Amino acid sequence: MKAFIKIYIVPVVLLVAFTTQVSAQTRQTTTTTTSKTVKTTPKSTTKINSKSRRVPSNQVTYKTPKKKVVSVRTVPNKTVITHNNQNYYYANNKYYTQSRGRYIVIAPKVGFRVKTLPINYKRVQYNTFDYYNAQGIFYVYINNEYEVVDPEVGTIVYELPEDYEKVTIDGQSYYEYANILYEKVQVDGTRAYEVVGIIDMN
């Protein structure tokens, strides 16, 4: 009888145990190979490119969708400055363009040149650059003239023009004036504004 158990029963028990183990491994393998892999795409941190610091205008959201246009009927004692075949009118420390019989306040574009800086300008130094900032517009002295330029990222000013605008880019808040983006910072305990980018107009 003991011989019968050794010859027939033990091999059957071992065979059943082996089959159960193989079946369990097969189920485990099947579960692993058929499970879904979820891929996550990291969100972009900001639309301001870390190298060029230039932002397409279509990625900028203004807090006030429509900018208030400041216009007047006349500009007394104005000085006419022509740039790229466009007349600018300077008076009251502001630049104007003419449209439909009215004068509209505008910011001069990069490349615009004048012989004399607007009054109440402030000198701003950053790295090797000497800027002259007047009403939020940056100038550099070139060939006996003052040319409007985009400031370098990192340039600090201590006040913005009163008609600056608040904008958001990828959920981050900034201040904008004349297509220049600023972020509020503290410098030696004083509130200041650091240039963080330039808006590229499409």
Side-chain angles (χ1 to χ4, degrees):
M1 183 68 177
K2 290 182 179 179
F4 175 79
I5 291 172
K6 287 182 180 178
I7 295 171
Y8 294 103
I9 301 299
V10 173
V12 170
V13 171
L14 290 174
L15 182 62
V16 170
F18 179 75
T19 305
T20 304
Q21 187 177 2
V22 170
S23 176
Q25 286 179 347
T26 305
R27 281 198 305 273
Q28 185 177 4
T29 304
T30 303
T31 304
T32 304
T33 55
T34 58
S35 64
K36 293 181 180 178
T37 303
V38 179
K39 292 183 180 179
T40 56
T41 305
K43 294 180 180 178
S44 59
T45 54
T46 178
K47 297 293 187 211
I48 299 181
N49 184 295
S50 61
K51 290 183 181 179
S52 68
R53 302 289 186 179
R54 302 194 80 87
V55 184
S57 60
N58 60 6
Q59 295 178 359
V60 180
T61 302
Y62 285 81
K63 185 176 180 182
T64 305
K66 209 169 186 180
K67 185 175 182 179
K68 182 180 177 183
V69 177
V70 178
S71 66
V72 293
R73 293 183 188 278
T74 60
V75 179
N77 302 320
K78 60 184 176 287
T79 301
V80 181
I81 304 165
T82 303
H83 174 69
N84 286 345
N85 298 319
Q86 179 182 356
N87 284 340
Y88 290 79
Y89 304 92
Y90 177 74
N92 307 319
N93 208 27
K94 295 178 182 176
Y95 292 97
Y96 300 82
T97 187
Q98 195 172 28
S99 177
R100 299 179 183 179
R102 296 185 71 86
Y103 293 91
I104 301 168
V105 175
I106 60 167
K109 296 178 181 178
V110 170
F112 178 86
R113 288 189 177 194
V114 291
K115 297 283 187 186
T116 306
L117 285 170
I119 59 173
N120 299 327
Y121 70 85
K122 292 184 179 177
R123 189 171 176 177
V124 178
Q125 291 183 305
Y126 182 73
N127 286 341
T128 58
F129 288 92
D130 280 333
Y131 296 109
Y132 301 89
N133 183 280
Q135 293 294 313
I137 305 300
F138 290 83
Y139 301 81
V140 292
Y141 189 63
I142 299 175
N143 297 328
N144 298 320
E145 291 184 305
Y146 297 93
E147 181 176 332
V148 175
V149 296
D150 285 332
E152 251 194 319
V153 168
T155 302
I156 300 286
V157 296
Y158 289 90
E159 60 183 30
L160 296 178
E162 59 184 21
D163 52 345
Y164 70 83
E165 295 198 71
K166 291 183 179 180
V167 301
T168 57
I169 301 169
D170 197 29
Q172 299 293 317
S173 297
Y174 301 97
Y175 300 89
E176 181 270 338
Y177 184 80
N179 300 330
I180 301 169
L181 291 166
Y182 300 87
E183 194 167 36
K184 190 185 290 185
V185 295
Q186 290 282 326
V187 177
D188 297 329
T190 302
R191 182 178 62 188
Y193 301 90
E194 181 178 350
V195 175
V196 294
I198 306 295
I199 298 175
D200 275 334
M201 301 307 293
N202 294 336

